[in-house]
Amino acid sequence: MDKFRAYGQFLKRGEHIYRTSAHLQWGDSTKSLGCCVLLNPGSATLEKVAPEVYSRLLADGKAHGQVIPDPTMIQLATLLERIFGQSLEGQFQIYNLFWLQNTDDQDAIEQYVELVAREEFQFDESLIELVELKQHPWVLLGWGVKKHKRHWHPFVQIKDKWVSLIQTSGVPCFGKEHPKQKSG
């Protein structure tokens, strides 16, 4: 079994770095092994995990390439390797409710809400097309189950949009649901 590789695509706007997409790769196949929707790319510190990609990002405002896997990517790879065993060949896509890099989930949500309010980020900018979602055999939901704060309206909206997209797609999904909130 090949060791996996991790890839990311990044965008810089003003002071903020966004990871707009990421995937884990085993072998050379582009076949989807599944996907996940997480909160945000929290620990993907680009200057440490891919200095050459970071340099291109600073120069061009966007960049993509191989990165050193962060702890979340390693956990996801371990899960997939246990599911598929020796026959692992393909890609696992990592989507996020929003692209802003921040390791503190509460602060990340606050920043996201503020960026949306200042119109520096569209609340649904991270949403993918239905046709793309339908390419995956299953979806793991992992955006947390914390109680929403009243002013987190854009955050609630993007979660609801993702849930609706997944329901429309018919792609099986799993994750832990908040006990008191339908899409929490």
Side-chain angles (χ1 to χ4, degrees):
M1 173 173 25
D2 285 336
K3 184 76 176 141
F4 77 96
R5 300 176 310 275
Y7 294 90
Q9 187 164 337
F10 301 86
L11 177 66
K12 187 170 186 328
R13 285 190 200 149
E15 304 282 317
H16 302 287
I17 294 176
Y18 302 90
R19 187 181 73 197
T20 58
S21 69
H23 74 273
L24 307 179
Q25 178 74 50
W26 286 264
D28 297 320
S29 174
T30 58
K31 175 186 166 209
S32 175
L33 300 169
C35 69
C36 63
V37 183
L38 306 178
L39 179 65
N40 72 311
S43 59
T45 310
L46 188 57
E47 60 270 23
K48 293 179 184 174
V49 300
E52 66 287 343
V53 176
Y54 184 65
S55 294
R56 282 196 314 270
L57 178 67
L58 294 180
D60 301 336
K62 59 183 177 177
H64 68 278
Q66 188 170 347
V67 297
I68 296 170
D70 64 34
T72 300
M73 290 173 167
I74 293 168
Q75 285 181 330
L76 290 167
T78 300
L79 172 71
L80 288 158
E81 289 168 353
R82 288 186 178 157
I83 291 171
F84 291 100
Q86 296 297 320
S87 62
L88 200 54
E89 176 86 16
Q91 296 180 353
F92 183 80
Q93 188 70 39
I94 301 169
Y95 300 111
N96 293 102
L97 292 179
F98 56 94
W99 301 331
L100 182 66
Q101 293 186 246
N102 187 327
T103 56
D104 182 303
D105 61 347
Q106 296 281 318
D107 187 50
I109 295 167
E110 292 288 344
Q111 270 191 305
Y112 165 72
V113 169
E114 183 179 317
L115 288 168
V116 170
R118 292 192 322 234
E119 298 182 355
E120 293 180 32
F121 193 88
Q122 298 299 311
F123 89 92
D124 61 353
E125 198 167 344
S126 64
L127 204 61
I128 62 171
E129 296 292 327
L130 180 62
V131 67
E132 181 177 345
L133 185 58
K134 285 185 171 189
Q135 294 174 2
H136 301 292
W138 52 272
V139 181
L140 166 64
L141 303 179
W143 54 58
V145 294
K146 291 187 178 179
K147 185 167 173 52
H148 302 141
K149 293 183 180 176
R150 191 174 308 268
H151 67 281
W152 284 3
H153 185 66
F155 178 63
V156 173
Q157 281 183 296
I158 191 57
K159 288 196 321 184
D160 290 346
K161 283 258 196 184
W162 270 101
V163 168
S164 177
L165 179 69
I166 293 165
Q167 288 171 342
T168 300
S169 76
V171 175
C173 72
F174 63 97
K176 183 177 179 180
E177 189 172 15
H178 190 284
K180 295 180 182 173
Q181 294 174 286
K182 289 288 184 207
S183 63

PDB file of all heavy atoms in Angstrom, residues 150-165:
ATOM      1  N   ARG A 150     -26.282  33.667  18.748  1.00  0.00           N
ATOM      2  CA  ARG A 150     -27.330  34.372  18.000  1.00  0.00           C
ATOM      3  C   ARG A 150     -26.781  35.111  16.774  1.00  0.00           C
ATOM      4  O   ARG A 150     -27.395  35.105  15.717  1.00  0.00           O
ATOM      5  CB  ARG A 150     -28.047  35.350  18.929  1.00  0.00           C
ATOM      6  CG  ARG A 150     -29.316  35.929  18.341  1.00  0.00           C
ATOM      7  CD  ARG A 150     -30.065  36.781  19.337  1.00  0.00           C
ATOM      8  NE  ARG A 150     -30.312  36.138  20.603  1.00  0.00           N
ATOM      9  CZ  ARG A 150     -31.417  35.446  20.904  1.00  0.00           C
ATOM     10  NH1 ARG A 150     -32.358  35.318  20.015  1.00  0.00           N
ATOM     11  NH2 ARG A 150     -31.559  34.904  22.085  1.00  0.00           N
ATOM     12  N   HIS A 151     -25.623  35.725  16.869  1.00  0.00           N
ATOM     13  CA  HIS A 151     -25.082  36.509  15.750  1.00  0.00           C
ATOM     14  C   HIS A 151     -24.341  35.650  14.717  1.00  0.00           C
ATOM     15  O   HIS A 151     -23.791  36.174  13.766  1.00  0.00           O
ATOM     16  CB  HIS A 151     -24.179  37.636  16.272  1.00  0.00           C
ATOM     17  CG  HIS A 151     -22.916  37.137  16.912  1.00  0.00           C
ATOM     18  ND1 HIS A 151     -22.881  36.652  18.191  1.00  0.00           N
ATOM     19  CD2 HIS A 151     -21.654  37.058  16.436  1.00  0.00           C
ATOM     20  CE1 HIS A 151     -21.648  36.285  18.487  1.00  0.00           C
ATOM     21  NE2 HIS A 151     -20.882  36.523  17.442  1.00  0.00           N
ATOM     22  N   TRP A 152     -24.358  34.345  14.860  1.00  0.00           N
ATOM     23  CA  TRP A 152     -23.686  33.455  13.926  1.00  0.00           C
ATOM     24  C   TRP A 152     -24.568  33.105  12.729  1.00  0.00           C
ATOM     25  O   TRP A 152     -24.424  32.040  12.130  1.00  0.00           O
ATOM     26  CB  TRP A 152     -23.260  32.174  14.624  1.00  0.00           C
ATOM     27  CG  TRP A 152     -22.050  32.296  15.495  1.00  0.00           C
ATOM     28  CD1 TRP A 152     -21.331  33.416  15.769  1.00  0.00           C
ATOM     29  CD2 TRP A 152     -21.437  31.233  16.208  1.00  0.00           C
ATOM     30  NE1 TRP A 152     -20.291  33.124  16.605  1.00  0.00           N
ATOM     31  CE2 TRP A 152     -20.335  31.776  16.908  1.00  0.00           C
ATOM     32  CE3 TRP A 152     -21.699  29.888  16.341  1.00  0.00           C
ATOM     33  CZ2 TRP A 152     -19.506  31.009  17.706  1.00  0.00           C
ATOM     34  CZ3 TRP A 152     -20.874  29.122  17.144  1.00  0.00           C
ATOM     35  CH2 TRP A 152     -19.786  29.677  17.813  1.00  0.00           C
ATOM     36  N   HIS A 153     -25.447  33.962  12.343  1.00  0.00           N
ATOM     37  CA  HIS A 153     -26.399  33.669  11.265  1.00  0.00           C
ATOM     38  C   HIS A 153     -25.723  33.150   9.990  1.00  0.00           C
ATOM     39  O   HIS A 153     -26.166  32.141   9.425  1.00  0.00           O
ATOM     40  CB  HIS A 153     -27.277  34.893  10.989  1.00  0.00           C
ATOM     41  CG  HIS A 153     -28.351  34.633   9.988  1.00  0.00           C
ATOM     42  ND1 HIS A 153     -29.398  33.760  10.222  1.00  0.00           N
ATOM     43  CD2 HIS A 153     -28.522  35.089   8.730  1.00  0.00           C
ATOM     44  CE1 HIS A 153     -30.160  33.702   9.159  1.00  0.00           C
ATOM     45  NE2 HIS A 153     -29.650  34.506   8.233  1.00  0.00           N
ATOM     46  N   PRO A 154     -24.648  33.770   9.491  1.00  0.00           N
ATOM     47  CA  PRO A 154     -24.004  33.243   8.276  1.00  0.00           C
ATOM     48  C   PRO A 154     -23.489  31.812   8.461  1.00  0.00           C
ATOM     49  O   PRO A 154     -23.540  31.002   7.542  1.00  0.00           O
ATOM     50  CB  PRO A 154     -22.846  34.206   8.015  1.00  0.00           C
ATOM     51  CG  PRO A 154     -23.224  35.454   8.722  1.00  0.00           C
ATOM     52  CD  PRO A 154     -24.017  35.020   9.926  1.00  0.00           C
ATOM     53  N   PHE A 155     -23.021  31.503   9.655  1.00  0.00           N
ATOM     54  CA  PHE A 155     -22.522  30.166   9.957  1.00  0.00           C
ATOM     55  C   PHE A 155     -23.661  29.144   9.912  1.00  0.00           C
ATOM     56  O   PHE A 155     -23.524  28.072   9.333  1.00  0.00           O
ATOM     57  CB  PHE A 155     -21.834  30.176  11.326  1.00  0.00           C
ATOM     58  CG  PHE A 155     -21.317  28.841  11.755  1.00  0.00           C
ATOM     59  CD1 PHE A 155     -20.325  28.198  11.038  1.00  0.00           C
ATOM     60  CD2 PHE A 155     -21.815  28.221  12.891  1.00  0.00           C
ATOM     61  CE1 PHE A 155     -19.844  26.972  11.438  1.00  0.00           C
ATOM     62  CE2 PHE A 155     -21.336  26.997  13.299  1.00  0.00           C
ATOM     63  CZ  PHE A 155     -20.345  26.365  12.574  1.00  0.00           C
ATOM     64  N   VAL A 156     -24.781  29.489  10.496  1.00  0.00           N
ATOM     65  CA  VAL A 156     -25.958  28.610  10.467  1.00  0.00           C
ATOM     66  C   VAL A 156     -26.424  28.438   9.017  1.00  0.00           C
ATOM     67  O   VAL A 156     -26.752  27.328   8.590  1.00  0.00           O
ATOM     68  CB  VAL A 156     -27.087  29.176  11.355  1.00  0.00           C
ATOM     69  CG1 VAL A 156     -28.366  28.360  11.198  1.00  0.00           C
ATOM     70  CG2 VAL A 156     -26.657  29.221  12.813  1.00  0.00           C
ATOM     71  N   GLN A 157     -26.407  29.529   8.255  1.00  0.00           N
ATOM     72  CA  GLN A 157     -26.828  29.471   6.851  1.00  0.00           C
ATOM     73  C   GLN A 157     -25.964  28.521   6.023  1.00  0.00           C
ATOM     74  O   GLN A 157     -26.499  27.739   5.234  1.00  0.00           O
ATOM     75  CB  GLN A 157     -26.756  30.861   6.208  1.00  0.00           C
ATOM     76  CG  GLN A 157     -27.895  31.766   6.532  1.00  0.00           C
ATOM     77  CD  GLN A 157     -27.729  33.073   5.758  1.00  0.00           C
ATOM     78  OE1 GLN A 157     -26.775  33.820   5.979  1.00  0.00           O
ATOM     79  NE2 GLN A 157     -28.644  33.332   4.846  1.00  0.00           N
ATOM     80  N   ILE A 158     -24.639  28.588   6.192  1.00  0.00           N
ATOM     81  CA  ILE A 158     -23.779  27.742   5.370  1.00  0.00           C
ATOM     82  C   ILE A 158     -23.936  26.277   5.768  1.00  0.00           C
ATOM     83  O   ILE A 158     -23.938  25.385   4.915  1.00  0.00           O
ATOM     84  CB  ILE A 158     -22.294  28.194   5.362  1.00  0.00           C
ATOM     85  CG1 ILE A 158     -21.505  27.441   4.278  1.00  0.00           C
ATOM     86  CG2 ILE A 158     -21.630  28.022   6.708  1.00  0.00           C
ATOM     87  CD1 ILE A 158     -22.026  27.580   2.871  1.00  0.00           C
ATOM     88  N   LYS A 159     -24.120  25.998   7.049  1.00  0.00           N
ATOM     89  CA  LYS A 159     -24.370  24.610   7.457  1.00  0.00           C
ATOM     90  C   LYS A 159     -25.666  24.105   6.841  1.00  0.00           C
ATOM     91  O   LYS A 159     -25.715  22.989   6.308  1.00  0.00           O
ATOM     92  CB  LYS A 159     -24.419  24.489   8.979  1.00  0.00           C
ATOM     93  CG  LYS A 159     -23.067  24.627   9.621  1.00  0.00           C
ATOM     94  CD  LYS A 159     -22.964  24.162  11.044  1.00  0.00           C
ATOM     95  CE  LYS A 159     -24.094  24.442  11.930  1.00  0.00           C
ATOM     96  NZ  LYS A 159     -23.887  24.041  13.314  1.00  0.00           N
ATOM     97  N   ASP A 160     -26.704  24.920   6.890  1.00  0.00           N
ATOM     98  CA  ASP A 160     -27.992  24.525   6.304  1.00  0.00           C
ATOM     99  C   ASP A 160     -27.869  24.285   4.800  1.00  0.00           C
ATOM    100  O   ASP A 160     -28.472  23.358   4.254  1.00  0.00           O
ATOM    101  CB  ASP A 160     -29.069  25.573   6.592  1.00  0.00           C
ATOM    102  CG  ASP A 160     -29.482  25.614   8.054  1.00  0.00           C
ATOM    103  OD1 ASP A 160     -29.146  24.668   8.811  1.00  0.00           O
ATOM    104  OD2 ASP A 160     -30.144  26.592   8.454  1.00  0.00           O
ATOM    105  N   LYS A 161     -27.075  25.126   4.115  1.00  0.00           N
ATOM    106  CA  LYS A 161     -26.875  24.959   2.664  1.00  0.00           C
ATOM    107  C   LYS A 161     -26.167  23.633   2.359  1.00  0.00           C
ATOM    108  O   LYS A 161     -26.529  22.939   1.421  1.00  0.00           O
ATOM    109  CB  LYS A 161     -26.052  26.119   2.089  1.00  0.00           C
ATOM    110  CG  LYS A 161     -26.844  27.384   1.900  1.00  0.00           C
ATOM    111  CD  LYS A 161     -27.174  27.514   0.447  1.00  0.00           C
ATOM    112  CE  LYS A 161     -27.611  28.943   0.158  1.00  0.00           C
ATOM    113  NZ  LYS A 161     -28.030  29.096  -1.205  1.00  0.00           N
ATOM    114  N   TRP A 162     -25.136  23.307   3.152  1.00  0.00           N
ATOM    115  CA  TRP A 162     -24.434  22.041   2.957  1.00  0.00           C
ATOM    116  C   TRP A 162     -25.360  20.861   3.218  1.00  0.00           C
ATOM    117  O   TRP A 162     -25.372  19.895   2.449  1.00  0.00           O
ATOM    118  CB  TRP A 162     -23.196  21.951   3.850  1.00  0.00           C
ATOM    119  CG  TRP A 162     -21.956  22.490   3.194  1.00  0.00           C
ATOM    120  CD1 TRP A 162     -21.385  23.714   3.401  1.00  0.00           C
ATOM    121  CD2 TRP A 162     -21.137  21.838   2.227  1.00  0.00           C
ATOM    122  NE1 TRP A 162     -20.264  23.851   2.612  1.00  0.00           N
ATOM    123  CE2 TRP A 162     -20.086  22.719   1.889  1.00  0.00           C
ATOM    124  CE3 TRP A 162     -21.183  20.597   1.607  1.00  0.00           C
ATOM    125  CZ2 TRP A 162     -19.097  22.382   0.963  1.00  0.00           C
ATOM    126  CZ3 TRP A 162     -20.193  20.264   0.692  1.00  0.00           C
ATOM    127  CH2 TRP A 162     -19.168  21.164   0.378  1.00  0.00           C
ATOM    128  N   VAL A 163     -26.142  20.923   4.299  1.00  0.00           N
ATOM    129  CA  VAL A 163     -27.072  19.829   4.612  1.00  0.00           C
ATOM    130  C   VAL A 163     -28.071  19.650   3.477  1.00  0.00           C
ATOM    131  O   VAL A 163     -28.333  18.528   3.032  1.00  0.00           O
ATOM    132  CB  VAL A 163     -27.789  20.084   5.960  1.00  0.00           C
ATOM    133  CG1 VAL A 163     -28.960  19.132   6.153  1.00  0.00           C
ATOM    134  CG2 VAL A 163     -26.807  19.962   7.121  1.00  0.00           C
ATOM    135  N   SER A 164     -28.607  20.737   2.972  1.00  0.00           N
ATOM    136  CA  SER A 164     -29.552  20.680   1.862  1.00  0.00           C
ATOM    137  C   SER A 164     -28.903  20.086   0.612  1.00  0.00           C
ATOM    138  O   SER A 164     -29.501  19.249  -0.076  1.00  0.00           O
ATOM    139  CB  SER A 164     -30.091  22.086   1.572  1.00  0.00           C
ATOM    140  OG  SER A 164     -30.955  22.063   0.471  1.00  0.00           O
ATOM    141  N   LEU A 165     -27.685  20.513   0.304  1.00  0.00           N
ATOM    142  CA  LEU A 165     -26.961  19.993  -0.851  1.00  0.00           C
ATOM    143  C   LEU A 165     -26.752  18.485  -0.723  1.00  0.00           C
ATOM    144  O   LEU A 165     -26.977  17.736  -1.678  1.00  0.00           O
ATOM    145  CB  LEU A 165     -25.613  20.709  -0.992  1.00  0.00           C
ATOM    146  CG  LEU A 165     -24.723  20.252  -2.140  1.00  0.00           C
ATOM    147  CD1 LEU A 165     -25.311  20.644  -3.488  1.00  0.00           C
ATOM    148  CD2 LEU A 165     -23.321  20.827  -1.987  1.00  0.00           C
TER     149      LEU A 165
END
